[in-house]
Amino acid sequence: MQTATENERKYDVPSGFALPELAGACGVSRAGEAETHELDATYFDTDDLRLARNKHTLRRRTGGNDAGWHLKTPGAGSARTEHRLPLTEGDEVPAELAAEVRTIVRTRPLRPVAKLRTRRVETPLCDADGRTLALVAQDEVAAETDDGTQRWQELEVELVDGGPEVLEAVEGLLSAAGATPAAGPSKLARALGDRLATPKTGKRRKTDPVLGYAREQRDAIEAQDPAVRAGDADGVHKMRVATRRLRSTLKTFKDAFDPDHAEFLKGELKWLADCLGAVRDGQVLSHKLVAAAEAYPQVAGRIRQKLDDDVTRGREELVAALDSDRYLGMLDAMDTLVDEARPDDGGALRRVRKVLHRADALLDTAVADGVDAELHEARKKYKQARYAVEVFAPAAGKPGKKLVSALTSLQDVLGAHQDSVVAREVLREVAGTAPDAFEYGVLYARQERVGEETFHELPEAIAASRRKKLRSWLG
């Protein structure tokens, strides 16, 4: 499948609009010879238009220079990413493109929702060397949907070898000639019209911070899906963090959510987080342990191989999980839970204080006992507390921001300590099959020292996170 970045601007134009002289617009030397194309496109979506509502368009188009299947997805700024596949017979969406939108459409079938026939006059804008800086397309459109037929004219300017400044300069000349920025984002949106209006779901407290935070995590999980499937380490990390944040939110602010649905979703989020962790943990540990073992090349190689094998298995299981009906059901459950959530009853800050105090108590006990497992449990509780604080930190201003930072620093110390514990376990496992365990013993001792050093860093990090002026806004 080919991909390309599409950077264009669309304009509404009156009947009989004539293209003005565009030579001289930021490097444009002349307009090339115009070509006329007859384009016939069928757009696919679900009955409730889930693709269009998520700013995705999927079409099968004949005619022009790029006939085939096209999937357009949001890109950076005004740019769009276009995924292309060759033309096929019939209206069955290619499996490769269907997979790209699976998390959006889920189990809903894709069917034709609009047919657009466009007579396009395409004019290249060239510089003095003959390079095409942009293409200007004058379109006469006839759109057929379940609601009937519409006709209109519009104009598109798409960059080829030019920069954004070309779009700016051309827009000025087009505006002077009577063109106006398009009222809708696409031909499909114009064709569907009122069907794309946001459905009314009843009154909702949009400003409720708990529900807003939950929606952010839901959206983050879905947004990272393509990156995770592509094997992007940062995408795996971000999706994992979002699953943890949402699960923690359901646990801390349980009165805001349907208890049965929340309990089910917490279990599903843990399942997904575990799948992500099987990949992410190995990636992080490999980076740290292999670097620590660079003085012992054979040992470093064996450690890398063991962790690479773990990551490979984890990635296979993760992709299988993302391709499963269970994952799609989890996404549906997230939508249902967030959409049906109840506004909080006003006791949310009390719950934040409670989980934070609980984390403090667990850590105090763990430090007094000096038990690694207890320190790990305290670390997990602090994650829950930090995520709870994050919900209200923006409204608290600087103290809220500083408290989140202090809790993050404390977690980092606890995380480094736990990493040393896990590293020792890996070293013990790999050493068990090694002909000579001496070098592993050296590395093991170093990880013990890391554990001791991080343990001694805790008092300072604890004190910083418990400063009264950072927590006073919690009440």
Side-chain angles (χ1 to χ4, degrees), residues 206-265:
K206 296 181 180 179
T207 58
D208 185 83
V210 173
L211 303 191
Y213 189 80
R215 293 187 188 108
E216 288 176 7
Q217 308 321 314
R218 183 269 309 272
D219 294 346
I221 291 170
E222 294 180 2
Q224 294 303 322
D225 182 276
V228 173
R229 291 177 184 274
D232 180 70
D234 191 50
V236 172
H237 170 64
K238 289 180 178 178
M239 181 184 276
R240 187 188 190 192
V241 170
T243 61
R244 286 173 164 175
R245 281 179 166 144
L246 182 53
R247 185 167 179 260
S248 177
T249 300
L250 299 182
K251 184 176 181 180
T252 303
F253 306 105
K254 58 184 179 182
D255 289 348
F257 304 95
D258 177 272
D260 293 334
H261 289 171
E263 197 61 32
F264 168 77
L265 185 55

Short mmCIF file of all heavy atoms in Angstrom, two decimals, residues 206-265:
data_model
loop_
_atom_site.label_atom_id
_atom_site.label_comp_id
_atom_site.label_asym_id
_atom_site.label_seq_id
_atom_site.Cartn_x
_atom_site.Cartn_y
_atom_site.Cartn_z
N LYS A 206 -20.27 19.14 30.18
CA LYS A 206 -19.05 19.04 29.40
C LYS A 206 -17.82 19.44 30.21
O LYS A 206 -16.71 19.03 29.88
CB LYS A 206 -19.17 19.91 28.15
CG LYS A 206 -20.26 19.45 27.18
CD LYS A 206 -20.31 20.32 25.95
CE LYS A 206 -21.40 19.86 25.00
NZ LYS A 206 -21.47 20.71 23.79
N THR A 207 -18.04 20.26 31.23
CA THR A 207 -16.89 20.76 31.98
C THR A 207 -16.49 19.84 33.13
O THR A 207 -15.54 20.13 33.84
CB THR A 207 -17.19 22.16 32.53
OG1 THR A 207 -18.36 22.10 33.36
CG2 THR A 207 -17.44 23.15 31.39
N ASP A 208 -17.23 18.75 33.36
CA ASP A 208 -16.89 17.86 34.46
C ASP A 208 -15.49 17.29 34.23
O ASP A 208 -15.25 16.60 33.23
CB ASP A 208 -17.90 16.72 34.56
CG ASP A 208 -17.63 15.84 35.77
OD1 ASP A 208 -18.06 16.20 36.86
OD2 ASP A 208 -16.96 14.80 35.60
N PRO A 209 -14.53 17.56 35.11
CA PRO A 209 -13.14 17.16 34.86
C PRO A 209 -12.92 15.65 34.82
O PRO A 209 -12.08 15.17 34.07
CB PRO A 209 -12.37 17.82 36.00
CG PRO A 209 -13.38 18.06 37.07
CD PRO A 209 -14.67 18.34 36.35
N VAL A 210 -13.68 14.91 35.62
CA VAL A 210 -13.50 13.46 35.64
C VAL A 210 -13.90 12.85 34.31
O VAL A 210 -13.17 12.04 33.72
CB VAL A 210 -14.31 12.83 36.79
CG1 VAL A 210 -14.26 11.30 36.71
CG2 VAL A 210 -13.78 13.29 38.14
N LEU A 211 -15.06 13.26 33.80
CA LEU A 211 -15.53 12.71 32.53
C LEU A 211 -14.64 13.19 31.38
O LEU A 211 -14.36 12.43 30.45
CB LEU A 211 -16.97 13.12 32.29
CG LEU A 211 -17.98 12.73 33.37
CD1 LEU A 211 -19.40 12.95 32.89
CD2 LEU A 211 -17.79 11.27 33.80
N GLY A 212 -14.19 14.44 31.46
CA GLY A 212 -13.29 14.94 30.43
C GLY A 212 -11.99 14.16 30.39
O GLY A 212 -11.48 13.83 29.31
N TYR A 213 -11.44 13.85 31.55
CA TYR A 213 -10.20 13.09 31.63
C TYR A 213 -10.41 11.67 31.08
O TYR A 213 -9.57 11.15 30.34
CB TYR A 213 -9.74 13.04 33.08
CG TYR A 213 -8.36 12.46 33.32
CD1 TYR A 213 -7.23 13.24 33.12
CD2 TYR A 213 -8.19 11.16 33.76
CE1 TYR A 213 -5.95 12.73 33.35
CE2 TYR A 213 -6.93 10.64 34.00
CZ TYR A 213 -5.81 11.43 33.80
OH TYR A 213 -4.55 10.92 34.03
N ALA A 214 -11.55 11.08 31.43
CA ALA A 214 -11.84 9.73 30.93
C ALA A 214 -11.95 9.72 29.41
O ALA A 214 -11.44 8.82 28.74
CB ALA A 214 -13.14 9.21 31.56
N ARG A 215 -12.58 10.73 28.86
CA ARG A 215 -12.71 10.80 27.40
C ARG A 215 -11.35 10.97 26.73
O ARG A 215 -11.09 10.41 25.67
CB ARG A 215 -13.65 11.95 27.01
CG ARG A 215 -15.10 11.72 27.42
CD ARG A 215 -16.01 12.80 26.86
NE ARG A 215 -17.34 12.66 27.45
CZ ARG A 215 -17.86 13.49 28.34
NH1 ARG A 215 -17.16 14.55 28.74
NH2 ARG A 215 -19.07 13.28 28.82
N GLU A 216 -10.49 11.77 27.34
CA GLU A 216 -9.15 11.96 26.79
C GLU A 216 -8.40 10.63 26.70
O GLU A 216 -7.72 10.36 25.71
CB GLU A 216 -8.36 12.94 27.66
CG GLU A 216 -8.81 14.39 27.55
CD GLU A 216 -8.05 15.29 28.51
OE1 GLU A 216 -7.09 14.80 29.16
OE2 GLU A 216 -8.41 16.47 28.62
N GLN A 217 -8.52 9.80 27.72
CA GLN A 217 -7.82 8.51 27.72
C GLN A 217 -8.44 7.57 26.70
O GLN A 217 -7.72 6.83 26.01
CB GLN A 217 -7.83 7.88 29.12
CG GLN A 217 -7.35 8.80 30.23
CD GLN A 217 -6.18 9.67 29.87
OE1 GLN A 217 -5.20 9.21 29.28
NE2 GLN A 217 -6.26 10.96 30.22
N ARG A 218 -9.77 7.58 26.61
CA ARG A 218 -10.45 6.76 25.60
C ARG A 218 -9.95 7.14 24.21
O ARG A 218 -9.61 6.27 23.38
CB ARG A 218 -11.96 6.98 25.72
CG ARG A 218 -12.84 6.14 24.76
CD ARG A 218 -13.14 6.83 23.45
NE ARG A 218 -13.65 8.17 23.59
CZ ARG A 218 -14.93 8.49 23.72
NH1 ARG A 218 -15.85 7.55 23.77
NH2 ARG A 218 -15.30 9.77 23.80
N ASP A 219 -9.89 8.43 23.94
CA ASP A 219 -9.45 8.90 22.63
C ASP A 219 -7.99 8.55 22.37
O ASP A 219 -7.60 8.24 21.24
CB ASP A 219 -9.65 10.42 22.51
CG ASP A 219 -11.13 10.81 22.54
OD1 ASP A 219 -11.98 9.93 22.37
OD2 ASP A 219 -11.41 12.01 22.75
N ALA A 220 -7.16 8.62 23.41
CA ALA A 220 -5.73 8.32 23.26
C ALA A 220 -5.52 6.85 22.92
O ALA A 220 -4.66 6.51 22.09
CB ALA A 220 -4.98 8.68 24.54
N ILE A 221 -6.28 5.97 23.54
CA ILE A 221 -6.16 4.54 23.25
C ILE A 221 -6.46 4.28 21.78
O ILE A 221 -5.72 3.59 21.07
CB ILE A 221 -7.10 3.72 24.15
CG1 ILE A 221 -6.61 3.77 25.60
CG2 ILE A 221 -7.19 2.26 23.67
CD1 ILE A 221 -7.58 3.18 26.60
N GLU A 222 -7.55 4.85 21.28
CA GLU A 222 -7.93 4.64 19.90
C GLU A 222 -6.93 5.30 18.95
O GLU A 222 -6.58 4.73 17.91
CB GLU A 222 -9.34 5.20 19.66
CG GLU A 222 -10.42 4.46 20.43
CD GLU A 222 -11.80 5.02 20.18
OE1 GLU A 222 -11.92 5.97 19.37
OE2 GLU A 222 -12.77 4.52 20.79
N ALA A 223 -6.43 6.48 19.31
CA ALA A 223 -5.52 7.21 18.42
C ALA A 223 -4.19 6.49 18.24
O ALA A 223 -3.57 6.58 17.17
CB ALA A 223 -5.27 8.61 18.98
N GLN A 224 -3.74 5.75 19.26
CA GLN A 224 -2.44 5.08 19.19
C GLN A 224 -2.50 3.72 18.50
O GLN A 224 -1.46 3.10 18.25
CB GLN A 224 -1.85 4.91 20.59
CG GLN A 224 -1.48 6.21 21.28
CD GLN A 224 -0.51 7.05 20.48
OE1 GLN A 224 0.41 6.52 19.84
NE2 GLN A 224 -0.71 8.36 20.48
N ASP A 225 -3.68 3.27 18.16
CA ASP A 225 -3.82 1.93 17.57
C ASP A 225 -2.96 1.74 16.32
O ASP A 225 -2.22 0.74 16.23
CB ASP A 225 -5.30 1.65 17.26
CG ASP A 225 -5.51 0.26 16.69
OD1 ASP A 225 -5.36 0.09 15.47
OD2 ASP A 225 -5.83 -0.66 17.47
N PRO A 226 -2.99 2.65 15.33
CA PRO A 226 -2.16 2.43 14.14
C PRO A 226 -0.67 2.35 14.46
O PRO A 226 0.05 1.51 13.90
CB PRO A 226 -2.48 3.64 13.26
CG PRO A 226 -3.82 4.13 13.72
CD PRO A 226 -3.83 3.86 15.20
N ALA A 227 -0.19 3.20 15.36
CA ALA A 227 1.24 3.20 15.72
C ALA A 227 1.62 1.89 16.40
O ALA A 227 2.70 1.33 16.15
CB ALA A 227 1.56 4.38 16.61
N VAL A 228 0.75 1.39 17.27
CA VAL A 228 1.05 0.14 17.97
C VAL A 228 1.11 -1.01 16.98
O VAL A 228 2.01 -1.86 17.04
CB VAL A 228 -0.02 -0.14 19.06
CG1 VAL A 228 0.18 -1.52 19.67
CG2 VAL A 228 0.06 0.93 20.15
N ARG A 229 0.17 -1.05 16.06
CA ARG A 229 0.17 -2.11 15.04
C ARG A 229 1.44 -2.05 14.19
O ARG A 229 1.93 -3.08 13.72
CB ARG A 229 -1.06 -2.00 14.15
CG ARG A 229 -2.37 -2.32 14.84
CD ARG A 229 -3.55 -2.12 13.90
NE ARG A 229 -4.80 -2.33 14.59
CZ ARG A 229 -5.39 -3.52 14.73
NH1 ARG A 229 -4.81 -4.60 14.21
NH2 ARG A 229 -6.53 -3.64 15.37
N ALA A 230 1.96 -0.84 13.97
CA ALA A 230 3.15 -0.67 13.15
C ALA A 230 4.43 -0.98 13.92
O ALA A 230 5.52 -0.91 13.35
CB ALA A 230 3.20 0.76 12.61
N GLY A 231 4.32 -1.30 15.21
CA GLY A 231 5.49 -1.63 16.01
C GLY A 231 6.21 -0.44 16.59
O GLY A 231 7.37 -0.56 17.01
N ASP A 232 5.56 0.72 16.64
CA ASP A 232 6.19 1.92 17.16
C ASP A 232 6.26 1.86 18.68
O ASP A 232 5.24 1.74 19.36
CB ASP A 232 5.39 3.15 16.73
CG ASP A 232 5.99 4.44 17.25
OD1 ASP A 232 7.05 4.82 16.77
OD2 ASP A 232 5.39 5.05 18.15
N ALA A 233 7.47 1.94 19.23
CA ALA A 233 7.66 1.80 20.68
C ALA A 233 6.97 2.91 21.45
O ALA A 233 6.39 2.68 22.51
CB ALA A 233 9.15 1.78 21.02
N ASP A 234 7.02 4.13 20.92
CA ASP A 234 6.37 5.25 21.60
C ASP A 234 4.85 5.08 21.61
O ASP A 234 4.18 5.41 22.58
CB ASP A 234 6.75 6.56 20.91
CG ASP A 234 6.34 7.78 21.72
OD1 ASP A 234 6.65 7.84 22.92
OD2 ASP A 234 5.69 8.68 21.15
N GLY A 235 4.32 4.54 20.52
CA GLY A 235 2.88 4.27 20.47
C GLY A 235 2.46 3.25 21.51
O GLY A 235 1.41 3.39 22.14
N VAL A 236 3.28 2.20 21.67
CA VAL A 236 3.00 1.19 22.70
C VAL A 236 2.98 1.83 24.08
O VAL A 236 2.09 1.58 24.90
CB VAL A 236 4.04 0.05 22.63
CG1 VAL A 236 3.87 -0.91 23.81
CG2 VAL A 236 3.91 -0.72 21.33
N HIS A 237 3.98 2.67 24.34
CA HIS A 237 4.06 3.34 25.64
C HIS A 237 2.84 4.22 25.89
O HIS A 237 2.23 4.17 26.97
CB HIS A 237 5.35 4.17 25.69
CG HIS A 237 5.44 5.08 26.88
ND1 HIS A 237 5.49 4.61 28.17
CD2 HIS A 237 5.45 6.44 26.97
CE1 HIS A 237 5.55 5.63 29.01
NE2 HIS A 237 5.52 6.75 28.30
N LYS A 238 2.47 5.03 24.90
CA LYS A 238 1.35 5.96 25.08
C LYS A 238 0.02 5.23 25.26
O LYS A 238 -0.82 5.64 26.06
CB LYS A 238 1.28 6.92 23.90
CG LYS A 238 2.42 7.94 23.88
CD LYS A 238 2.31 8.87 22.68
CE LYS A 238 3.42 9.91 22.69
NZ LYS A 238 3.36 10.80 21.51
N MET A 239 -0.18 4.15 24.50
CA MET A 239 -1.43 3.41 24.67
C MET A 239 -1.48 2.75 26.05
O MET A 239 -2.53 2.74 26.70
CB MET A 239 -1.59 2.34 23.58
CG MET A 239 -2.89 1.56 23.70
SD MET A 239 -3.09 0.20 22.51
CE MET A 239 -3.72 1.10 21.10
N ARG A 240 -0.36 2.24 26.49
CA ARG A 240 -0.31 1.59 27.80
C ARG A 240 -0.62 2.59 28.91
O ARG A 240 -1.39 2.29 29.84
CB ARG A 240 1.05 0.96 28.02
CG ARG A 240 1.15 0.11 29.29
CD ARG A 240 2.59 -0.30 29.51
NE ARG A 240 2.74 -1.30 30.56
CZ ARG A 240 3.90 -1.65 31.08
NH1 ARG A 240 5.02 -1.09 30.64
NH2 ARG A 240 3.98 -2.56 32.03
N VAL A 241 -0.03 3.78 28.82
CA VAL A 241 -0.29 4.81 29.83
C VAL A 241 -1.77 5.20 29.82
O VAL A 241 -2.39 5.37 30.88
CB VAL A 241 0.60 6.05 29.58
CG1 VAL A 241 0.16 7.21 30.46
CG2 VAL A 241 2.06 5.71 29.85
N ALA A 242 -2.35 5.32 28.64
CA ALA A 242 -3.77 5.69 28.55
C ALA A 242 -4.66 4.62 29.15
O ALA A 242 -5.65 4.94 29.83
CB ALA A 242 -4.15 5.95 27.10
N THR A 243 -4.33 3.34 28.94
CA THR A 243 -5.14 2.28 29.54
C THR A 243 -5.05 2.33 31.05
O THR A 243 -6.04 2.14 31.77
CB THR A 243 -4.69 0.89 29.05
OG1 THR A 243 -3.33 0.66 29.40
CG2 THR A 243 -4.84 0.76 27.55
N ARG A 244 -3.85 2.61 31.56
CA ARG A 244 -3.67 2.70 33.02
C ARG A 244 -4.43 3.89 33.59
O ARG A 244 -5.05 3.81 34.65
CB ARG A 244 -2.18 2.82 33.35
CG ARG A 244 -1.40 1.53 33.17
CD ARG A 244 0.08 1.78 33.35
NE ARG A 244 0.84 0.54 33.57
CZ ARG A 244 2.16 0.49 33.66
NH1 ARG A 244 2.86 1.62 33.56
NH2 ARG A 244 2.77 -0.65 33.86
N ARG A 245 -4.36 5.01 32.89
CA ARG A 245 -5.04 6.20 33.38
C ARG A 245 -6.55 5.99 33.41
O ARG A 245 -7.21 6.38 34.37
CB ARG A 245 -4.70 7.40 32.48
CG ARG A 245 -3.34 8.01 32.78
CD ARG A 245 -3.05 9.17 31.86
NE ARG A 245 -1.92 9.96 32.34
CZ ARG A 245 -1.02 10.54 31.55
NH1 ARG A 245 -1.11 10.41 30.24
NH2 ARG A 245 -0.04 11.25 32.07
N LEU A 246 -7.09 5.40 32.36
CA LEU A 246 -8.53 5.19 32.34
C LEU A 246 -8.95 4.19 33.41
O LEU A 246 -9.95 4.40 34.12
CB LEU A 246 -8.97 4.71 30.96
CG LEU A 246 -10.48 4.49 30.77
CD1 LEU A 246 -11.28 5.73 31.18
CD2 LEU A 246 -10.79 4.10 29.33
N ARG A 247 -8.21 3.11 33.52
CA ARG A 247 -8.54 2.12 34.55
C ARG A 247 -8.47 2.73 35.94
O ARG A 247 -9.33 2.48 36.80
CB ARG A 247 -7.58 0.93 34.44
CG ARG A 247 -7.90 -0.23 35.37
CD ARG A 247 -7.10 -1.44 34.96
NE ARG A 247 -7.38 -2.57 35.84
CZ ARG A 247 -6.60 -2.95 36.84
NH1 ARG A 247 -5.47 -2.30 37.09
NH2 ARG A 247 -6.92 -3.98 37.60
N SER A 248 -7.46 3.54 36.18
CA SER A 248 -7.31 4.20 37.48
C SER A 248 -8.46 5.17 37.72
O SER A 248 -8.97 5.26 38.85
CB SER A 248 -5.97 4.96 37.52
OG SER A 248 -5.82 5.66 38.73
N THR A 249 -8.89 5.87 36.69
CA THR A 249 -10.01 6.81 36.83
C THR A 249 -11.29 6.09 37.21
O THR A 249 -12.06 6.56 38.06
CB THR A 249 -10.20 7.59 35.52
OG1 THR A 249 -9.00 8.30 35.21
CG2 THR A 249 -11.35 8.58 35.62
N LEU A 250 -11.52 4.94 36.59
CA LEU A 250 -12.71 4.16 36.92
C LEU A 250 -12.67 3.68 38.37
O LEU A 250 -13.71 3.56 39.02
CB LEU A 250 -12.82 2.95 35.98
CG LEU A 250 -12.94 3.25 34.48
CD1 LEU A 250 -13.07 1.96 33.69
CD2 LEU A 250 -14.11 4.17 34.20
N LYS A 251 -11.48 3.41 38.85
CA LYS A 251 -11.33 2.92 40.22
C LYS A 251 -11.47 4.04 41.24
O LYS A 251 -12.17 3.90 42.25
CB LYS A 251 -9.97 2.23 40.37
CG LYS A 251 -9.74 1.58 41.72
CD LYS A 251 -8.42 0.84 41.75
CE LYS A 251 -8.17 0.16 43.09
NZ LYS A 251 -6.87 -0.56 43.11
N THR A 252 -10.83 5.16 40.99
CA THR A 252 -10.83 6.27 41.95
C THR A 252 -12.18 6.97 42.01
O THR A 252 -12.69 7.27 43.10
CB THR A 252 -9.74 7.28 41.59
OG1 THR A 252 -8.46 6.63 41.55
CG2 THR A 252 -9.70 8.42 42.62
N PHE A 253 -12.76 7.22 40.86
CA PHE A 253 -14.01 8.00 40.78
C PHE A 253 -15.17 7.10 40.39
O PHE A 253 -15.93 7.39 39.46
CB PHE A 253 -13.85 9.14 39.78
CG PHE A 253 -12.66 10.02 40.05
CD1 PHE A 253 -11.51 9.93 39.27
CD2 PHE A 253 -12.65 10.92 41.10
CE1 PHE A 253 -10.41 10.72 39.51
CE2 PHE A 253 -11.56 11.73 41.36
CZ PHE A 253 -10.43 11.63 40.56
N LYS A 254 -15.31 6.00 41.11
CA LYS A 254 -16.28 4.98 40.73
C LYS A 254 -17.72 5.47 40.75
O LYS A 254 -18.57 4.94 40.04
CB LYS A 254 -16.12 3.76 41.63
CG LYS A 254 -16.29 4.05 43.12
CD LYS A 254 -16.02 2.80 43.95
CE LYS A 254 -16.15 3.08 45.44
NZ LYS A 254 -15.85 1.87 46.24
N ASP A 255 -18.02 6.49 41.55
CA ASP A 255 -19.40 6.97 41.63
C ASP A 255 -19.85 7.68 40.36
O ASP A 255 -21.04 7.92 40.16
CB ASP A 255 -19.57 7.93 42.82
CG ASP A 255 -19.51 7.20 44.15
OD1 ASP A 255 -19.56 5.95 44.14
OD2 ASP A 255 -19.39 7.87 45.19
N ALA A 256 -18.92 8.02 39.49
CA ALA A 256 -19.27 8.71 38.25
C ALA A 256 -19.64 7.75 37.13
O ALA A 256 -20.08 8.18 36.07
CB ALA A 256 -18.10 9.60 37.80
N PHE A 257 -19.46 6.44 37.35
CA PHE A 257 -19.64 5.47 36.28
C PHE A 257 -20.57 4.33 36.71
O PHE A 257 -20.65 3.99 37.89
CB PHE A 257 -18.29 4.90 35.85
CG PHE A 257 -17.30 5.95 35.43
CD1 PHE A 257 -16.37 6.44 36.35
CD2 PHE A 257 -17.29 6.45 34.16
CE1 PHE A 257 -15.46 7.42 35.99
CE2 PHE A 257 -16.38 7.43 33.79
CZ PHE A 257 -15.47 7.91 34.69
N ASP A 258 -21.23 3.74 35.72
CA ASP A 258 -22.06 2.57 35.99
C ASP A 258 -21.18 1.48 36.58
O ASP A 258 -20.19 1.07 35.95
CB ASP A 258 -22.72 2.09 34.69
CG ASP A 258 -23.54 0.84 34.90
OD1 ASP A 258 -22.97 -0.26 34.81
OD2 ASP A 258 -24.75 0.97 35.18
N PRO A 259 -21.51 0.96 37.76
CA PRO A 259 -20.60 0.02 38.44
C PRO A 259 -20.36 -1.28 37.68
O PRO A 259 -19.21 -1.77 37.64
CB PRO A 259 -21.27 -0.23 39.79
CG PRO A 259 -22.70 0.17 39.59
CD PRO A 259 -22.69 1.27 38.58
N ASP A 260 -21.40 -1.85 37.08
CA ASP A 260 -21.21 -3.10 36.35
C ASP A 260 -20.36 -2.91 35.11
O ASP A 260 -19.44 -3.69 34.83
CB ASP A 260 -22.57 -3.69 35.97
CG ASP A 260 -23.37 -4.13 37.18
OD1 ASP A 260 -22.74 -4.46 38.21
OD2 ASP A 260 -24.61 -4.15 37.11
N HIS A 261 -20.66 -1.85 34.36
CA HIS A 261 -19.88 -1.58 33.15
C HIS A 261 -18.43 -1.23 33.51
O HIS A 261 -17.49 -1.65 32.82
CB HIS A 261 -20.51 -0.42 32.37
CG HIS A 261 -21.79 -0.78 31.70
ND1 HIS A 261 -22.62 0.15 31.11
CD2 HIS A 261 -22.41 -1.97 31.53
CE1 HIS A 261 -23.67 -0.45 30.61
NE2 HIS A 261 -23.57 -1.74 30.85
N ALA A 262 -18.25 -0.47 34.58
CA ALA A 262 -16.90 -0.08 34.99
C ALA A 262 -16.08 -1.29 35.41
O ALA A 262 -14.89 -1.40 35.07
CB ALA A 262 -16.97 0.94 36.12
N GLU A 263 -16.69 -2.20 36.14
CA GLU A 263 -15.97 -3.39 36.60
C GLU A 263 -15.53 -4.24 35.41
O GLU A 263 -14.39 -4.74 35.37
CB GLU A 263 -16.86 -4.21 37.53
CG GLU A 263 -16.10 -5.23 38.36
CD GLU A 263 -15.06 -4.61 39.28
OE1 GLU A 263 -15.28 -3.47 39.76
OE2 GLU A 263 -14.01 -5.25 39.52
N PHE A 264 -16.43 -4.40 34.44
CA PHE A 264 -16.08 -5.16 33.24
C PHE A 264 -14.94 -4.48 32.49
O PHE A 264 -13.95 -5.13 32.09
CB PHE A 264 -17.30 -5.27 32.32
CG PHE A 264 -16.97 -5.78 30.94
CD1 PHE A 264 -16.73 -7.13 30.72
CD2 PHE A 264 -16.88 -4.91 29.87
CE1 PHE A 264 -16.41 -7.60 29.44
CE2 PHE A 264 -16.55 -5.37 28.60
CZ PHE A 264 -16.32 -6.71 28.39
N LEU A 265 -15.04 -3.16 32.32
CA LEU A 265 -14.04 -2.45 31.54
C LEU A 265 -12.69 -2.43 32.24
O LEU A 265 -11.64 -2.51 31.58
CB LEU A 265 -14.51 -1.03 31.24
CG LEU A 265 -13.60 -0.21 30.32
CD1 LEU A 265 -13.37 -0.95 29.00
CD2 LEU A 265 -14.20 1.16 30.05
#
